[in-house]
Amino acid sequence: MVDGLIVFIFGSSLGSFLNVCIYRLPKSLSMVTPRSYCPSCRKTIKWFDNIPLISYFILKGKCRYCNSKISLRYPLVELITGIVTLYLYKRFSFSWNFFEFLLFSSLLVLVSFIDIEYRAIPIYICPLGIILGLIFKLYESSKYLKSGIVDNLPIVNSFKGLVFGLGFTYLFKLFGDLLLGIYLGLTNKDSIEGEKESLGLGDVDFMGMVGTFLGTKSVITTFFIAPFLGLFYSLFALLFKKSHIVPYLPYLSLASFVSLIWAERIFTFIGF
Protein backbone atom coordinates (compact mmCIF):
# COMPACT_ATOMS: atom_id res chain seq x y z
CA MET A 1 0.00 0.00 0.00
CA VAL A 2 2.68 2.49 1.08
CA ASP A 3 5.03 1.56 -1.74
CA GLY A 4 2.17 1.95 -4.25
CA LEU A 5 1.43 5.43 -2.92
CA ILE A 6 5.10 6.39 -3.18
CA VAL A 7 5.22 5.10 -6.77
CA PHE A 8 2.05 7.03 -7.66
CA ILE A 9 3.52 10.24 -6.20
CA PHE A 10 6.69 9.64 -8.19
CA GLY A 11 4.63 9.10 -11.35
CA SER A 12 2.51 12.21 -10.87
CA SER A 13 5.71 14.22 -10.27
CA LEU A 14 7.02 12.83 -13.54
CA GLY A 15 3.75 13.99 -15.08
CA SER A 16 4.42 17.48 -13.72
CA PHE A 17 7.75 17.46 -15.56
CA LEU A 18 6.00 16.23 -18.72
CA ASN A 19 3.66 19.22 -18.45
CA VAL A 20 6.70 21.48 -18.62
CA CYS A 21 7.92 19.58 -21.69
CA ILE A 22 4.49 19.78 -23.35
CA TYR A 23 4.42 23.55 -22.90
CA ARG A 24 8.03 24.39 -23.67
CA LEU A 25 9.29 21.96 -26.32
CA PRO A 26 6.96 23.14 -29.13
CA LYS A 27 7.94 26.74 -28.33
CA SER A 28 11.68 25.87 -28.31
CA LEU A 29 12.00 27.20 -24.76
CA SER A 30 14.66 26.13 -22.27
CA MET A 31 13.78 23.17 -20.08
CA VAL A 32 15.98 24.51 -17.27
CA THR A 33 15.23 28.20 -16.95
CA PRO A 34 13.16 30.06 -15.98
CA ARG A 35 11.32 28.27 -13.21
CA SER A 36 7.68 27.32 -13.79
CA TYR A 37 5.49 30.39 -14.30
CA CYS A 38 1.91 31.31 -15.09
CA PRO A 39 1.48 31.63 -18.88
CA SER A 40 -0.96 34.53 -18.36
CA CYS A 41 0.69 36.84 -15.83
CA ARG A 42 4.24 35.37 -16.06
CA LYS A 43 4.57 35.22 -12.28
CA THR A 44 6.88 32.51 -10.95
CA ILE A 45 4.93 29.65 -9.39
CA LYS A 46 5.91 28.92 -5.77
CA TRP A 47 6.78 25.34 -4.84
CA PHE A 48 3.63 24.94 -2.71
CA ASP A 49 1.51 25.90 -5.73
CA ASN A 50 3.29 23.32 -7.87
CA ILE A 51 2.49 20.11 -5.99
CA PRO A 52 1.15 17.55 -8.49
CA LEU A 53 -2.66 17.22 -8.44
CA ILE A 54 -3.05 18.73 -4.95
CA SER A 55 -2.17 22.34 -5.83
CA TYR A 56 -4.66 22.40 -8.72
CA PHE A 57 -7.56 21.57 -6.41
CA ILE A 58 -6.36 23.85 -3.59
CA LEU A 59 -6.19 26.74 -6.07
CA LYS A 60 -9.54 25.66 -7.58
CA GLY A 61 -7.98 25.54 -11.02
CA LYS A 62 -6.94 29.22 -11.02
CA CYS A 63 -3.67 31.14 -10.78
CA ARG A 64 -3.02 32.54 -7.30
CA TYR A 65 -1.91 35.89 -8.74
CA CYS A 66 -4.05 36.73 -11.78
CA ASN A 67 -6.97 34.36 -11.21
CA SER A 68 -6.74 33.06 -14.78
CA LYS A 69 -7.85 29.47 -15.36
CA ILE A 70 -5.25 26.71 -15.20
CA SER A 71 -5.70 24.23 -18.02
CA LEU A 72 -7.25 20.91 -16.99
CA ARG A 73 -4.44 19.34 -18.98
CA TYR A 74 -2.02 19.82 -16.06
CA PRO A 75 -3.76 17.60 -13.47
CA LEU A 76 -4.88 15.21 -16.23
CA VAL A 77 -1.30 14.56 -17.37
CA GLU A 78 -0.18 14.14 -13.75
CA LEU A 79 -3.03 11.71 -13.02
CA ILE A 80 -2.48 9.64 -16.17
CA THR A 81 1.27 9.41 -15.59
CA GLY A 82 0.77 8.49 -11.94
CA ILE A 83 -1.67 5.68 -12.82
CA VAL A 84 0.52 4.35 -15.63
CA THR A 85 3.60 4.39 -13.38
CA LEU A 86 1.72 2.50 -10.68
CA TYR A 87 0.49 -0.07 -13.22
CA LEU A 88 4.00 -0.65 -14.57
CA TYR A 89 5.34 -1.03 -11.02
CA LYS A 90 2.65 -3.59 -10.15
CA ARG A 91 3.46 -5.54 -13.30
CA PHE A 92 7.27 -5.29 -13.47
CA SER A 93 8.31 -4.15 -9.96
CA PHE A 94 11.53 -2.07 -9.97
CA SER A 95 13.06 -4.01 -12.85
CA TRP A 96 14.84 -2.88 -16.00
CA ASN A 97 11.55 -3.35 -17.88
CA PHE A 98 9.82 -0.97 -15.48
CA PHE A 99 12.15 1.90 -16.34
CA GLU A 100 12.19 1.03 -20.04
CA PHE A 101 8.42 1.03 -20.38
CA LEU A 102 8.06 4.04 -18.08
CA LEU A 103 10.25 5.97 -20.53
CA PHE A 104 8.17 4.68 -23.44
CA SER A 105 4.88 5.55 -21.71
CA SER A 106 6.18 9.03 -20.85
CA LEU A 107 6.96 9.59 -24.53
CA LEU A 108 3.41 8.48 -25.39
CA VAL A 109 1.94 11.03 -22.99
CA LEU A 110 4.30 13.73 -24.26
CA VAL A 111 3.55 13.35 -27.98
CA SER A 112 -0.19 12.84 -27.38
CA PHE A 113 -0.78 16.07 -25.53
CA ILE A 114 1.50 18.09 -27.80
CA ASP A 115 -0.42 16.75 -30.80
CA ILE A 116 -3.76 17.58 -29.19
CA GLU A 117 -2.69 21.18 -28.66
CA TYR A 118 -0.58 21.88 -31.76
CA ARG A 119 -1.65 19.19 -34.29
CA ALA A 120 2.06 18.46 -34.76
CA ILE A 121 5.04 17.42 -32.64
CA PRO A 122 8.70 18.52 -32.71
CA ILE A 123 10.44 16.34 -35.31
CA TYR A 124 13.19 15.19 -32.95
CA ILE A 125 11.05 13.59 -30.21
CA CYS A 126 10.35 10.21 -31.85
CA PRO A 127 13.88 9.82 -33.32
CA LEU A 128 15.24 10.56 -29.84
CA GLY A 129 12.84 7.94 -28.46
CA ILE A 130 14.13 5.45 -31.03
CA ILE A 131 17.74 6.09 -29.97
CA LEU A 132 16.89 5.70 -26.27
CA GLY A 133 14.92 2.53 -27.00
CA LEU A 134 17.87 1.00 -28.85
CA ILE A 135 20.15 1.89 -25.93
CA PHE A 136 17.83 0.09 -23.51
CA LYS A 137 17.65 -2.96 -25.78
CA LEU A 138 21.43 -2.96 -26.26
CA TYR A 139 21.92 -3.04 -22.49
CA GLU A 140 19.39 -5.89 -22.18
CA SER A 141 21.24 -7.79 -24.90
CA SER A 142 24.54 -7.41 -23.07
CA LYS A 143 23.00 -9.24 -20.09
CA TYR A 144 21.81 -12.00 -22.43
CA LEU A 145 25.31 -12.38 -23.88
CA LYS A 146 26.91 -12.49 -20.44
CA SER A 147 24.58 -15.39 -19.63
CA GLY A 148 25.64 -17.17 -22.82
CA ILE A 149 22.31 -16.57 -24.61
CA VAL A 150 22.81 -15.59 -28.25
CA ASP A 151 19.35 -16.32 -29.66
CA ASN A 152 16.43 -13.89 -29.73
CA LEU A 153 18.51 -10.91 -28.56
CA PRO A 154 16.41 -7.85 -27.62
CA ILE A 155 18.52 -5.52 -29.77
CA VAL A 156 17.91 -7.69 -32.85
CA ASN A 157 14.16 -7.82 -32.23
CA SER A 158 14.17 -4.09 -31.55
CA PHE A 159 15.94 -3.31 -34.80
CA LYS A 160 13.52 -5.54 -36.71
CA GLY A 161 10.63 -3.70 -35.05
CA LEU A 162 12.15 -0.34 -35.97
CA VAL A 163 12.59 -1.24 -39.64
CA PHE A 164 9.15 -2.84 -39.83
CA GLY A 165 7.45 0.07 -38.05
CA LEU A 166 9.03 2.67 -40.34
CA GLY A 167 8.65 0.64 -43.54
CA PHE A 168 5.12 -0.64 -43.03
CA THR A 169 3.75 2.76 -42.00
CA TYR A 170 5.56 4.63 -44.76
CA LEU A 171 4.20 2.27 -47.42
CA PHE A 172 0.71 2.74 -45.99
CA LYS A 173 1.25 6.51 -46.08
CA LEU A 174 2.24 6.38 -49.77
CA PHE A 175 -0.82 4.29 -50.59
CA GLY A 176 -3.09 6.56 -48.54
CA ASP A 177 -1.66 9.69 -50.15
CA LEU A 178 -2.33 8.17 -53.57
CA LEU A 179 -5.97 7.45 -52.69
CA LEU A 180 -6.37 10.91 -51.17
CA GLY A 181 -4.93 12.49 -54.33
CA ILE A 182 -7.40 10.54 -56.47
CA TYR A 183 -10.28 11.61 -54.21
CA LEU A 184 -9.27 15.28 -54.37
CA GLY A 185 -8.96 15.05 -58.13
CA LEU A 186 -12.39 13.47 -58.56
CA THR A 187 -14.07 15.99 -56.26
CA ASN A 188 -12.17 19.00 -57.66
CA LYS A 189 -10.89 19.93 -54.21
CA ASP A 190 -7.44 21.36 -53.59
CA SER A 191 -7.20 19.92 -50.08
CA ILE A 192 -9.17 19.01 -47.01
CA GLU A 193 -8.66 21.94 -44.65
CA GLY A 194 -5.09 22.22 -45.86
CA GLU A 195 -4.32 18.55 -45.31
CA LYS A 196 -2.89 16.69 -48.31
CA GLU A 197 -1.44 13.69 -46.47
CA SER A 198 -3.13 10.56 -45.20
CA LEU A 199 -0.45 10.24 -42.51
CA GLY A 200 2.27 12.64 -41.47
CA LEU A 201 5.94 11.71 -41.25
CA GLY A 202 5.60 12.17 -37.50
CA ASP A 203 3.23 9.20 -37.47
CA VAL A 204 5.81 7.16 -39.40
CA ASP A 205 8.55 8.04 -36.89
CA PHE A 206 6.15 7.25 -34.05
CA MET A 207 5.50 3.74 -35.37
CA GLY A 208 9.24 3.24 -35.71
CA MET A 209 9.55 4.12 -32.02
CA VAL A 210 6.78 1.63 -31.17
CA GLY A 211 8.63 -1.09 -33.07
CA THR A 212 11.87 -0.23 -31.29
CA PHE A 213 10.39 -0.62 -27.81
CA LEU A 214 7.72 -3.27 -28.39
CA GLY A 215 8.60 -5.19 -31.57
CA THR A 216 6.85 -6.05 -34.83
CA LYS A 217 3.71 -7.58 -33.31
CA SER A 218 2.94 -4.40 -31.42
CA VAL A 219 3.39 -2.35 -34.58
CA ILE A 220 0.64 -4.41 -36.21
CA THR A 221 -1.75 -4.32 -33.24
CA THR A 222 -1.15 -0.59 -32.69
CA PHE A 223 -1.72 0.24 -36.35
CA PHE A 224 -5.05 -1.61 -36.54
CA ILE A 225 -6.42 -0.80 -33.08
CA ALA A 226 -5.83 2.98 -33.29
CA PRO A 227 -8.45 3.70 -36.00
CA PHE A 228 -11.17 2.03 -33.92
CA LEU A 229 -10.17 4.08 -30.86
CA GLY A 230 -10.30 7.28 -32.90
CA LEU A 231 -13.53 6.48 -34.75
CA PHE A 232 -15.96 8.07 -32.29
CA TYR A 233 -14.08 11.35 -32.00
CA SER A 234 -13.66 11.47 -35.79
CA LEU A 235 -17.43 11.15 -36.27
CA PHE A 236 -18.02 13.80 -33.59
CA ALA A 237 -15.54 16.20 -35.25
CA LEU A 238 -17.09 15.62 -38.67
CA LEU A 239 -20.72 16.01 -37.58
CA PHE A 240 -20.47 18.80 -35.02
CA LYS A 241 -17.22 20.62 -35.74
CA LYS A 242 -17.37 20.10 -39.52
CA SER A 243 -13.68 19.23 -39.36
CA HIS A 244 -11.72 16.46 -41.06
CA ILE A 245 -8.61 17.12 -38.96
CA VAL A 246 -8.21 14.76 -36.01
CA PRO A 247 -5.12 14.58 -33.76
CA TYR A 248 -4.16 10.98 -34.45
CA LEU A 249 -1.15 10.47 -32.17
CA PRO A 250 -3.28 10.22 -28.99
CA TYR A 251 -5.06 7.19 -30.49
CA LEU A 252 -1.81 5.67 -31.71
CA SER A 253 -0.40 6.19 -28.21
CA LEU A 254 -3.39 4.58 -26.51
CA ALA A 255 -3.23 1.68 -28.97
CA SER A 256 0.50 1.36 -28.25
CA PHE A 257 -0.15 1.04 -24.54
CA VAL A 258 -2.85 -1.56 -25.25
CA SER A 259 -0.23 -3.39 -27.33
CA LEU A 260 2.27 -3.20 -24.48
CA ILE A 261 -0.23 -4.99 -22.26
CA TRP A 262 -2.01 -7.37 -24.62
CA ALA A 263 -0.17 -7.72 -27.96
CA GLU A 264 1.15 -11.21 -27.19
CA ARG A 265 -2.26 -12.35 -25.92
CA ILE A 266 -3.97 -10.95 -29.01
CA PHE A 267 -1.63 -12.84 -31.34
CA THR A 268 -1.98 -16.01 -29.27
CA PHE A 269 -5.77 -15.68 -29.39
CA ILE A 270 -5.84 -15.36 -33.19
CA GLY A 271 -3.40 -18.28 -33.54
CA PHE A 272 -0.10 -16.58 -34.50
Side-chain angles (χ1 to χ4, degrees):
M1 180 67 178
V2 175
D3 59 338
L5 179 61
I6 293 172
V7 169
F8 178 81
I9 292 172
F10 167 74
S12 59
S13 299
L14 175 60
S16 182
F17 172 71
L18 290 177
N19 272 320
V20 175
C21 297
I22 292 165
Y23 178 79
R24 297 192 182 193
L25 288 180
K27 301 177 186 295
S28 299
L29 299 175
S30 170
M31 297 300 299
V32 180
T33 58
R35 288 173 52 194
S36 296
Y37 57 87
C38 172
S40 298
C41 65
R42 319 297 287 187
K43 289 275 191 180
T44 299
I45 299 174
K46 303 295 185 182
W47 70 266
F48 47 80
D49 286 337
N50 210 19
I51 302 172
L53 293 173
I54 296 174
S55 292
Y56 180 86
F57 292 101
I58 290 177
L59 294 171
K60 298 180 180 179
K62 295 181 180 180
C63 173
R64 180 182 295 275
Y65 305 104
C66 67
N67 213 36
S68 61
K69 287 186 177 180
I70 301 171
S71 172
L72 187 61
R73 185 250 296 168
Y74 288 92
L76 185 59
V77 169
E78 292 165 355
L79 179 62
I80 290 173
T81 312
I83 292 172
V84 168
T85 304
L86 182 59
Y87 169 80
L88 293 175
Y89 169 72
K90 293 296 184 182
R91 179 168 179 179
F92 299 108
S93 188
F94 277 127
S95 63
W96 184 254
N97 283 335
F98 167 79
F99 293 103
E100 176 186 352
F101 293 131
L102 180 58
L103 169 63
F104 177 66
S105 301
S106 298
L107 289 168
L108 297 184
V109 173
L110 178 63
V111 299
S112 296
F113 281 90
I114 291 179
D115 193 43
I116 289 171
E117 190 158 345
Y118 297 97
R119 298 296 191 271
I121 63 172
I123 59 173
Y124 55 81
I125 292 181
C126 290
L128 178 61
I130 289 171
I131 293 171
L132 293 173
L134 289 173
I135 290 172
F136 268 87
K137 297 300 184 182
L138 187 62
Y139 178 79
E140 280 185 66
S141 298
S142 69
K143 295 193 292 183
Y144 275 57
L145 292 172
K146 286 180 181 178
S147 301
I149 302 173
V150 295
D151 296 327
N152 204 31
L153 290 176
I155 187 63
V156 175
N157 294 331
S158 180
F159 189 73
K160 288 179 181 177
L162 168 61
V163 173
F164 181 77
L166 292 174
F168 176 78
T169 313
Y170 188 69
L171 287 175
F172 188 90
K173 167 183 163 54
L174 292 178
F175 180 70
D177 289 350
L178 176 62
L179 293 180
L180 182 59
I182 293 173
Y183 167 77
L184 294 175
L186 292 175
T187 55
N188 296 316
K189 293 182 179 180
D190 294 328
S191 65
I192 300 176
E193 298 185 11
E195 292 293 316
K196 297 184 180 181
E197 294 181 310
S198 56
L199 287 174
L201 289 176
D203 299 322
V204 176
D205 290 340
F206 177 89
M207 293 303 292
M209 183 176 73
V210 172
T212 301
F213 277 93
L214 304 183
T216 55
K217 290 182 179 179
S218 289
V219 170
I220 297 172
T221 53
T222 296
F223 194 84
F224 287 104
I225 289 173
F228 291 99
L229 295 176
L231 178 62
F232 296 106
Y233 179 81
S234 299
L235 292 174
F236 172 82
L238 184 61
L239 294 174
F240 297 100
K241 295 185 177 182
K242 307 300 180 183
S243 173
H244 295 267
I245 301 176
V246 176
Y248 196 49
L249 280 178
Y251 302 108
L252 283 174
S253 295
L254 183 55
S256 300
F257 194 75
V258 171
S259 297
L260 167 62
I261 302 172
W262 288 308
E264 288 295 334
R265 295 179 186 177
I266 291 172
F267 271 80
T268 300
F269 177 76
I270 60 179
F272 285 95

